[in-house]
Amino acid sequence: MKRTHSPVAAFAAEEAGSVKWFAQMLPVDSSSSSHPVERAVALGRVLESRNEVVEAGRVWQRVRTVQTAVQSRIVRVVERWEMTEQGSLRCAGRDMFLADQLIVAQAPGADRASVERLLATGGMQTGESISEGLFTVRLSSSGLDAVPQALRFLSAHPDLVTAAGPDGVGFGAGLPNDASFGSQWGHHNAGQSGGTVDADVDAPEFWDIIESAPGLVVAVLDSGLNTSHPDLLNLSWVNPGEVPGDGIDNDGSGKVDDTGGWDFVSNDKNPADDHGHGSNVTGIMAATRNNAAGIAGMIGVRVLVCKILNSANSGFTSHLIAAVTYARQRGVPVMNLSLQNYPLDIFLYQEFTACEDAGILLSVCAGNQGFNNDEIPNYPSCYPHSNLIAVGSHDRTDARWSGTSFNPSNYGATSVDLFAPGRDILSPILGTSYSSYTGTSQATPYVTAVCAAIKYANPSWTASSIKASVLASVVTRPAYAGQCSTGGRLNAANAISHAIRQLPDRDSDGDGHANLLEYLAGTKVDARTSRPAVFHQTAGGYLKTGMTRVIRPDARLEVETSRDLQTWTPGGVTDFSTGGQLLGGIPISGDGPRFLRIRGVASP
């Protein structure tokens, strides 16, 4: 009998909405699905399965244990299915967990020995420490009922355990596609390969303003970093509190010799990439520029490498929580999370809240299933924290990437903030190779790089101000209307200029010239060697001052005069400027001293 998705005819003999009816109606898992959980199950081996009615005739749940290629341990897959108005089944949620592991919070005042005795009574034992009072617990069974039984057991002991939940499994959100594609259209789109001219982040214009963020550290939580790749050399953060190779935890982080980050998968000091996803993501953000080879990263920063994804590009919720905690405690202001399809988790929510309180910005990809995240949330991007930017991906034609065959970007009028380039993005991978990946994973480091640049320009800003500048400066297009909260895509040059205009007198590189003045002079805010060329002259009975300028739509230069160096005004200054040169002067007279200065003024 041919399978149908309409509850009619073929199943008339079955009670509508029964478990048996539901089982017969379920579609076969697809190995080509854009959902990584469905893909992993289709390519794996189902060990146990159970179907349950949640709401008669409307909502069902399927729970399975599966041996997959993405994790060496057995996983537990929980799906929620709903009946649509058209009478077909729709998967409204699909989460993967470890079948034999929990995350447990120890009760305040409880001692660890008592907790361990309780766990032993229930056939469990403690695993890895995540943060203070939070740790994993291994179960003795990986059967279908092992996790719910363990949770029921622990819930009866609130004096020792305040909360517990299953340890989720999530994924990186980008996959390799065309490795021969060699043009970084996302940086600068000149219409190559059928693209739309200027459907990019305006990287060259961004670099005219800022090229690096000296001293700034960005955490990348991913599959690690290929530190020997020619385009990724010397990017890793160096832990100032750790003595290399002495076998001692010098900085008290709980990690011995973590001189350049940490591998949370193997629990060691070597966060080397064994997949390629992390290197690709990091390269988009920070690959070396002007080295006559490879690609150009968006911004020069140091990278705190936190390896949480394995060689199959999948990782545990517990490792994600531990890595976010570790990065927060190291004081990083910006984190990149090119991660998708993690289950909703109270402990990760709490750690994100700690980051929110600390003013740390979380740049998170929206996911690659082509789903509306307003209706089917994708975590971690759909946590409601104000310090989180959710990033979708657009293609070279200036529209959300919606290709049905390969990693279509998720969207959401309220749950996705903006779009950035994410289709065929070339960047380093393993060895000395490069590959073009497609996904919201690739869009996210574009946003992260801009956030890092803004933090460098305005170091007093916390996540809310950084996010506000990024979102206020998007390029809006009809194609993005209703697809994200801003209705637009990232523009790096617009974002940094917006941030500079908010604190016009800030001098980031300490060269004596305010950022806004340098922006209008066409010099860089991150390099003391790049300074405005100010000059003075007397001619035709005037004392004049001037400089080379760049005409901007959002700010202007003006010459001001003062008699006491306290009160300044442009009144009384004659303008002798030409297109590329500002020049203003005052008549030379004998009525006391008068002074001139050049000042940048942001447009209303």
Side-chain angles (χ1 to χ4, degrees):
M1 179 175 63
K2 183 178 180 180
R3 176 167 293 181
T4 175
H5 292 272
S6 179
V8 293
F11 302 108
E14 300 294 340
E15 180 184 353
S18 68
V19 169
K20 184 176 181 180
W21 171 89
F22 170 64
Q24 292 175 322
M25 290 287 293
L26 282 167
V28 176
D29 297 300
S30 171
S31 61
S32 61
S33 171
S34 288
H35 199 297
V37 174
E38 181 179 7
R39 196 164 56 239
V41 173
L43 295 171
R45 182 168 63 95
V46 176
L47 304 177
E48 297 178 272
S49 182
R50 177 183 298 140
N51 300 322
E52 301 169 346
V53 175
V54 177
E55 184 180 342
R58 293 181 55 83
V59 183
W60 299 262
Q61 177 174 274
R62 174 167 63 173
V63 183
R64 293 180 286 181
T65 54
V66 188
Q67 185 71 61
T68 73
V70 301
Q71 289 292 337
S72 60
R73 291 155 63 180
I74 293 171
V75 298
R76 187 172 188 267
V77 177
V78 180
E79 299 165 347
R80 177 184 174 89
W81 291 82
E82 298 176 350
M83 179 72 73
T84 68
E85 293 181 357
Q86 293 72 36
S88 61
L89 284 178
R90 181 190 73 153
C91 185
R94 183 181 273 119
D95 291 322
M96 180 181 286
F97 305 88
L98 290 175
D100 62 351
Q101 186 157 296
L102 305 179
I103 300 175
V104 171
Q106 182 175 309
D111 65 275
R112 181 57 66 90
S114 297
V115 173
E116 290 179 349
R117 284 195 294 271
L118 170 68
L119 294 174
T121 301
M124 297 173 261
Q125 61 181 2
T126 55
E128 298 177 355
S129 175
I130 299 172
S131 60
E132 184 68 27
L134 193 67
F135 49 90
T136 62
V137 167
R138 289 292 295 268
L139 311 182
S140 58
S141 168
S142 57
L144 203 61
D145 295 318
V147 165
Q149 287 176 353
L151 292 174
R152 284 194 295 271
F153 174 80
L154 293 176
S155 68
H157 301 276
D159 55 324
L160 296 177
V161 173
T162 56
D167 195 351
V169 176
F171 300 82
L175 293 174
N177 190 11
D178 182 5
S180 67
F181 179 67
S183 178
Q184 290 182 273
W185 69 265
H187 286 46
H188 181 63
N189 192 338
Q192 62 268 45
S193 302
T196 299
V197 174
D198 208 32
D200 54 41
V201 300
D202 277 347
E205 293 86 347
F206 175 71
W207 294 328
D208 284 342
I209 304 168
I210 185 170
E211 293 185 299
S212 64
L216 199 84
V217 180
V218 173
V220 177
L221 286 65
D222 215 288
S223 65
L225 182 64
N226 176 10
T227 56
S228 63
H229 194 287
D231 246 354
L232 302 175
L233 299 175
N234 303 315
L235 292 187
S236 293
W237 162 79
V238 178
N239 187 347
E242 201 72 20
V243 178
D246 68 352
I248 300 172
D249 178 17
N250 305 104
D251 63 358
S253 67
K255 310 208 169 0
V256 175
D257 289 339
D258 56 327
T259 55
W262 196 254
D263 179 352
F264 291 84
V265 176
S266 300
N267 197 29
D268 63 37
K269 63 181 180 181
N270 181 25
D273 193 356
D274 53 5
H275 178 273
H277 186 272
S279 297
N280 182 278
V281 165
T282 303
I284 295 165
M285 177 181 70
T288 305
R289 293 183 60 238
N290 297 321
N291 61 349
I295 66 159
M298 281 294 296
I299 190 76
V301 292
R302 290 287 186 175
V303 178
L304 172 54
V305 185
C306 297
K307 178 177 172 59
I308 63 168
L309 301 178
N310 61 15
S311 59
N313 208 30
S314 135
F316 304 163
T317 298
S318 56
H319 290 160
L320 173 55
I321 299 168
V324 175
T325 303
Y326 176 75
R328 173 175 58 82
Q329 292 173 344
R330 307 283 80 72
V332 302
V334 180
M335 300 187 199
N336 189 98
L337 286 73
S338 289
L339 309 169
Q340 65 173 344
N341 298 108
Y342 278 76
L344 179 64
D345 185 88
I346 182 59
F347 302 115
L348 183 57
Y349 179 98
Q350 291 169 347
E351 178 52 37
F352 277 10
T353 300
C355 289
E356 185 178 43
D357 293 342
I360 298 168
L361 189 135
L362 306 175
S363 183
V364 190
C365 72
N368 302 330
Q369 291 73 55
F371 292 167
N372 184 342
N373 283 356
D374 292 353
E375 298 178 356
I376 304 176
N378 193 303
Y379 297 100
S381 73
C382 285
Y383 284 100
H385 297 76
S386 63
N387 60 323
L388 188 153
I389 298 181
V391 186
S393 67
H394 73 79
D395 62 18
R396 69 183 75 231
T397 68
D398 214 359
R400 176 179 71 89
W401 170 240
S402 57
T404 56
S405 62
F406 198 77
N407 278 8
S409 174
N410 290 354
Y411 59 97
T414 62
S415 56
V416 175
D417 291 306
L418 79 171
F419 292 89
R423 171 64 170 158
D424 289 329
I425 306 299
L426 188 70
S427 192
I429 51 169
L430 303 185
T432 59
S433 299
Y434 297 81
S435 182
S436 290
Y437 277 46
T438 288
T440 54
S441 274
Q442 284 55 57
T444 303
Y446 276 104
V447 174
T448 305
V450 174
C451 292
I454 292 173
K455 179 66 177 180
Y456 170 78
N458 295 343
S460 64
W461 278 13
T462 55
S464 58
S465 298
I466 297 171
K467 179 177 178 179
S469 271
V470 171
L471 301 189
S473 58
V474 300
V475 174
T476 57
R477 292 285 186 268
Y480 306 117
Q483 303 280 294
C484 64
S485 65
T486 61
R489 55 170 167 81
L490 175 72
N491 186 283
N494 287 358
I496 190 64
S497 65
H498 183 278
I500 287 171
R501 297 196 310 275
Q502 310 314 304
L503 294 179
D505 297 324
R506 166 73 187 166
D507 178 12
S508 295
D509 56 11
D511 65 357
H513 299 287
N515 288 347
L516 185 60
L517 187 72
E518 296 216 62
Y519 170 62
L520 293 165
T523 57
K524 295 175 173 53
V525 303
D526 61 314
R528 293 189 178 189
T529 56
S530 174
R531 301 182 180 187
V534 179
F535 61 87
H536 309 283
Q537 61 183 226
T538 56
Y542 279 83
L543 171 66
K544 301 177 181 180
T545 188
M547 60 185 282
T548 302
R549 67 180 178 181
V550 177
I551 304 297
R552 306 281 194 185
D554 50 15
R556 70 183 189 280
L557 288 170
E558 65 181 23
V559 178
E560 298 177 334
T561 183
S562 175
R563 290 185 180 275
D564 58 7
L565 298 178
Q566 299 296 319
T567 303
W568 294 87
T569 176
V573 176
T574 301
D575 186 12
F576 299 99
S577 302
T578 59
Q581 183 182 81
L582 172 78
L583 185 62
I586 54 176
I588 298 173
S589 65
D591 61 346
R594 293 180 70 185
F595 307 93
L596 293 173
R597 74 174 185 182
I598 299 173
R599 178 171 173 260
V601 179
S603 299

